[in-house]
Amino acid sequence: MTDGNTQKNSPVSGPAQGFAGGPVLAIESSCDETACAILSAEGVCLAQKIVSQDGHAEFGGVVPEIAARAHLALLPGLVQATLDAAGMTPQEIGFVAASTGPGLIGGLIVGASFAKGLALSLGKPFVAVNHVEAHALTARLPGLVPDGAAFPYLLLLVSGGHCQCIAVDGVGRYRKLGGTIDDAAGEAFDKVAKMLGLGWPGGPALEKLALAGNPNAIPLPRPLMGRAGCDFSFSGLKTALSQKLAPYGQDPLPHQFAADLAASFQQAVADVVADRITNALHMMPEASLLVAAGGVAANSVLRARLEQVAAGAGLRFAAPPLRLCTDNAVMVGWAALETCREAAALGLPQPEDSTTRPRPRWPLEDMASRFAPLESIA
Ligand code: KG4
Ligand code: ZN
């Protein structure tokens, strides 16, 4: 454990036995999506609502203070609307969950405080969820992957803030095999999109523009490709692209040139990721499935390449549908249910995290301590 916010498993005090039987009301507020979902104990989504905040576009990126204030304004109505859509009263909720990290601290404080307050007022338990773990477990939502996503699997997590290859051995058991040494993949998409004068978030806009471009038109570097391991680097690619733009100065880019750049950039990212994932699969020969998660996993060129790599290695490939790749509350509710189930399977008390503080950083490797036997927790 690395910081003062470290929490311990604590025995359940008070709440009815078997609260993990759901339904769970889950809240996501770690970045600029304000989301709420209600899932049955089996993980069936009974209702979900999401608002992608629109106050950030003019700044070309998420402004933490604006995000936190928007979460505060949106959450009460969103939670009520989700309950209404599920046809449930608050009392019918089994427990409440929220992302408490990693992410932007203001939004995490708002979401976690709201969720804890709701749990307290209802006399129900509160379960803290690691946002990255929620992305990691999304593929296990019932019915998402044909025949299910059984452990162990290799996870490629590619979002605005993360770019990692993770061996997912079980709930709470994660090994980081490699990660970015500079920008996250989504960050690179967003920055390049900004250079091309596209809106924000840049990933979807860049993918759209690339449809009109030739992916082989403009030579760009493939950082770290051919090297051992499965680390990533995107800053050199970004710099190379900016040099192609330099001759145009402040002039608008010709549309075809911009489209060719977008397609060539996307191709370079897909080539690099395919190379890194090939190595990661060698590092995890026990994996029978490759899973992609996070916002960038919504990119169809990348998905197609990953599917090819997996097929070449004789593995299945799974990526959640687009709406579950980007931030959402369904994954938060599912991670909470998985956590409760794992605790029950290990004979541990159900988690009750009402004293947990939000954490802007929360490494996945820390999650194993949740399932440490009680006597080993100091
Ligand atoms: O997982 P996510 O919704 O939020 C976090 O960062 O946790 O990921 C958002 C990122 C943004 O950088 C966005 O530009 C990128 O995912 N993204 C895409 C696409 N859709 C979203 N990148 C490339 N292609 C896309 N279609
Ligand atoms: Zn995310």
Side-chain angles (χ1 to χ4, degrees):
M1 294 280 183
T2 52
D3 64 35
N5 285 337
T6 299
Q7 298 300 321
K8 299 186 284 189
N9 271 339
S10 55
V12 179
S13 55
Q17 266 201 332
F19 71 82
V24 54
L25 184 148
I27 287 173
E28 162 58 35
S29 64
S30 65
C31 193
D32 61 334
E33 257 88 27
T34 314
C36 179
I38 300 174
L39 275 67
S40 73
E42 294 73 35
V44 175
C45 179
L46 304 176
Q48 65 159 320
K49 298 280 173 190
I50 183 161
V51 176
S52 295
Q53 300 175 5
D54 56 11
H56 306 281
E58 63 180 295
F59 300 100
V62 179
V63 183
E65 186 60 25
I66 293 179
R69 284 169 191 268
H71 288 307
L72 193 59
L74 289 165
L75 266 176
L78 203 73
V79 169
Q80 187 57 56
T82 312
L83 283 162
D84 292 346
M88 293 175 73
T89 63
Q91 287 70 26
E92 288 174 295
I93 295 299
F95 68 107
V96 183
S99 290
T100 60
L104 300 174
I105 191 65
L108 292 171
I109 290 172
V110 170
S113 305
F114 187 93
K116 283 184 203 173
L118 181 63
L120 194 68
S121 69
L122 295 170
K124 312 275 180 177
F126 168 74
V127 174
V129 170
N130 180 309
H131 176 91
V132 176
E133 181 175 34
H135 276 302
L137 297 174
T138 303
R140 290 171 49 79
L141 268 161
L144 223 57
V145 175
D147 302 326
F151 300 123
Y153 55 80
L154 174 66
L155 172 77
L156 170 68
L157 175 63
V158 272
S159 70
H162 302 275
C163 184
Q164 299 175 13
C165 292
I166 299 163
V168 182
D169 295 324
V171 177
R173 294 192 288 132
Y174 312 100
R175 286 175 292 128
K176 183 173 164 187
L177 303 178
T180 184
I181 56 174
D182 41 55
D183 292 350
E187 200 179 343
F189 266 95
D190 291 337
K191 286 178 179 168
V192 167
K194 196 169 179 179
M195 289 183 214
L196 296 178
L198 303 175
W200 186 89
L206 191 144
E207 180 174 11
K208 199 168 161 210
L209 177 63
L211 287 173
N214 172 359
N216 303 311
I218 297 164
L220 290 170
R222 267 71 175 153
L224 295 185
M225 198 160 142
R227 298 264 201 97
C230 60
D231 283 338
F232 299 83
S233 167
F234 294 108
S235 76
L237 176 56
K238 203 180 57 192
T239 307
L241 195 136
S242 74
Q243 284 162 355
K244 308 276 179 198
L245 298 176
Y248 292 87
Q250 300 300 315
D251 297 342
L253 294 177
H255 182 263
Q256 191 55 48
F257 179 62
D260 286 346
L261 267 177
S264 300
F265 169 78
Q266 194 171 248
Q267 184 74 17
V269 172
D271 285 351
V272 167
V273 172
D275 175 77
R276 311 282 76 202
I277 288 296
T278 303
N279 286 359
L281 286 171
H282 283 127
M283 294 162 79
M284 196 191 173
E286 68 278 21
S288 61
L289 178 69
L290 169 64
V291 173
V296 184
N299 186 282
S300 48
V301 170
L302 188 64
R303 283 166 99 105
R305 281 304 283 285
L306 290 170
E307 191 145 22
Q308 264 178 10
V309 171
L315 300 183
R316 291 182 299 143
F317 170 69
L322 304 192
R323 69 180 191 288
L324 293 175
C325 275
T326 48
D327 289 350
N328 65 89
V330 177
M331 69 178 190
V332 177
W334 175 246
L337 287 169
E338 289 249 56
T339 300
C340 292
R341 270 193 218 159
E342 183 69 7
L346 293 172
L348 294 169
Q350 292 291 282
E352 213 302 313
D353 302 321
S354 54
T355 58
T356 296
R357 278 185 286 163
R359 303 175 59 170
R361 293 182 183 279
W362 192 1
L364 269 189
E365 287 83 354
D366 284 6
M367 301 314 291
S369 65
R370 277 202 104 130
F371 303 114
L374 281 180
E375 58 272 20
S376 73
I377 299 172

